Amino acid sequence: MKREAMFYEKLKDNKVHCFLCPHNCVIENGTFGKCGVRAHENGQLVTINYGEITSAALDPIEKKPLYYFKPHTQIFSVGSFGCNFTCGFCQNYTISQSVAKSQFVSKEDLVDTVLSMKDNIGIAFTYNEPSIWYEYVYDSAKLLKETSPDKAVVVVTNGYIQEEPLKKLLPYVDAMNIDLKSFNTIYYKDLCGGNLIPVLETIERAARACHVEITTLLVSGENDKLTEVEEIAKFLSNISPEIPLHLSRYFPRYKLENPPTDVELMKNAEKTAKKYLNKVSLGNI
Ligand code: SF4
């Protein structure tokens, strides 16, 4: 469903400026921002994925991955389409990089579904990037918390969001898994189409407000040097050595054909990260 977006301003020369995420797109009339879901229509910024769900499942919380937030429970997980990154190795590119087939679900129906499910601890916004699904994520999270404060709200994100929208959302979020894809600005720019610094800022801000776990996909030949793993672990330990880090094994997907990450290297990366952090896990091995 299309509706007016939040976090934008009209500019003088018939353009609009979106400041939901650090791309800060300035958008001409009739065109979309980099995320492909926010468009300029005659002086108004609209979002086209409000309430549009492409994927839904009752998942184990460990699948998010969150290992230290309500372990051994299940959470109703939903996603839409679109992303503000263009990762060449995206696991969910069919929904993140195009306008995928979806079904509209109002925020009221979503909350009713969450509350009617047995053995469900709440809702997780995941699969595509929740930051650029902002209005629906915000409305639904707020409604769920107002209706049933004991239900959990989880956000699985690339962390590419500006401070103002993040701060507005955080009071309704219990836990986040944030991707820290690399500690290298060139990697972020060339492989993901983004910047490292705003992601680091999001991690710092989120860790002050809710439970946070971090995922780093170690892509063979790209970000799998132990020195880089060490930089990531050091950065996180400066916030708190209790932040869990998930080091995930890469497999070829979408545009990237590098071989799967070496398992011995993964084990060495785990050892390196454990010098700084108390909770390090390997995934996808
Ligand atoms: S949310 Fe989309 S339109 Fe807005 S700044 Fe980010 S990429 Fe651009």
Side-chain angles (χ1 to χ4, degrees):
M1 179 184 142
K2 194 188 285 181
R3 62 154 265 188
E4 187 175 12
M6 296 162 76
F7 304 106
Y8 81 98
E9 61 181 348
K10 293 175 187 180
L11 303 178
K12 279 187 208 135
D13 49 355
N14 195 28
K15 292 177 183 168
V16 297
H17 166 214
C18 175
F19 48 90
L20 173 59
C21 92
H23 282 311
N24 270 306
C25 296
V26 172
I27 310 170
E28 307 248 7
N29 193 19
T31 65
F32 282 83
K34 281 188 179 176
C35 54
V37 295
R38 295 165 88 80
H40 176 182
E41 286 189 358
N42 303 316
Q44 192 178 67
L45 184 70
V46 296
T47 171
I48 64 163
N49 64 356
Y50 187 90
E52 296 296 336
I53 292 182
T54 59
S55 326
L58 186 64
D59 283 340
I61 191 83
E62 287 80 8
K63 203 175 161 187
K64 299 304 103 193
L66 289 173
Y67 284 8
Y68 299 92
F69 177 77
K70 300 183 186 291
H72 315 303
T73 59
Q74 298 191 95
I75 190 159
F76 186 52
S77 305
V78 292
S80 186
F81 55 82
C83 189
N84 49 0
F85 277 1
T86 51
C87 303
F89 46 79
C90 183
Q91 302 293 301
N92 289 337
Y93 68 94
T94 53
I95 57 169
S96 72
Q97 301 301 315
S98 58
V99 178
K101 190 165 177 278
S102 60
Q103 186 179 328
F104 177 75
V105 178
S106 70
K107 65 177 191 287
E108 291 83 6
D109 284 351
L110 181 67
V111 167
D112 282 351
T113 304
V114 169
L115 297 179
S116 69
M117 290 175 121
K118 203 170 162 280
D119 299 328
N120 170 32
I121 62 161
I123 188 153
F125 297 98
T126 178
Y127 305 135
N128 76 315
E129 176 49 48
S131 301
I132 53 93
W133 201 22
Y134 186 89
E135 290 77 7
Y136 185 69
V137 171
Y138 176 79
D139 287 354
S140 307
K142 187 165 180 278
L143 182 62
L144 180 63
K145 284 296 188 186
E146 286 168 354
T147 313
S148 188
D150 56 321
K151 289 291 177 194
V153 172
V154 164
V155 174
V156 181
T157 175
N158 62 19
Y160 211 57
I161 184 169
Q162 295 276 51
E163 182 175 9
E164 188 186 345
L166 177 66
K167 279 191 167 166
K168 193 173 167 70
L169 180 63
L170 278 172
Y172 306 106
V173 175
D174 298 281
M176 292 174 92
N177 185 296
I178 305 174
D179 273 353
L180 178 50
K181 292 176 188 284
S182 158
F183 215 73
N184 182 326
T185 51
I186 295 168
Y187 181 99
Y188 260 92
K189 182 168 167 285
D190 291 354
L191 268 86
C192 307
N195 281 304
L196 167 65
I197 301 301
V199 178
L200 300 181
E201 290 171 347
T202 293
I203 292 170
E204 287 172 333
R205 288 172 187 139
R208 286 196 292 268
C210 68
H211 176 86
V212 166
E213 301 192 20
I214 303 295
T215 298
T216 300
L217 181 75
L218 291 180
V219 181
S220 46
E222 305 289 350
N223 67 343
D224 58 350
K225 290 198 176 60
L226 295 183
T227 48
E228 190 167 340
V229 173
E230 189 160 21
E231 283 184 286
I232 287 172
K234 268 190 202 171
F235 165 78
L236 296 175
S237 73
N238 281 334
I239 301 171
S240 167
E242 296 307 316
I243 293 182
L245 173 63
H246 303 264
L247 295 169
S248 188
R249 189 183 184 208
Y250 150 89
F251 287 90
R253 183 87 172 140
Y254 191 33
K255 293 177 181 169
L256 221 62
E257 292 175 350
N258 302 21
T261 318
D262 181 71
V263 173
E264 278 310 305
L265 189 145
M266 298 285 302
K267 290 178 183 166
N268 288 333
E270 182 186 21
K271 272 187 212 152
T272 300
K274 278 187 168 168
K275 287 194 263 173
Y276 302 92
L277 297 168
N278 296 327
K279 297 165 183 160
V280 182
S281 321
L282 297 184
N284 275 350
I285 61 167

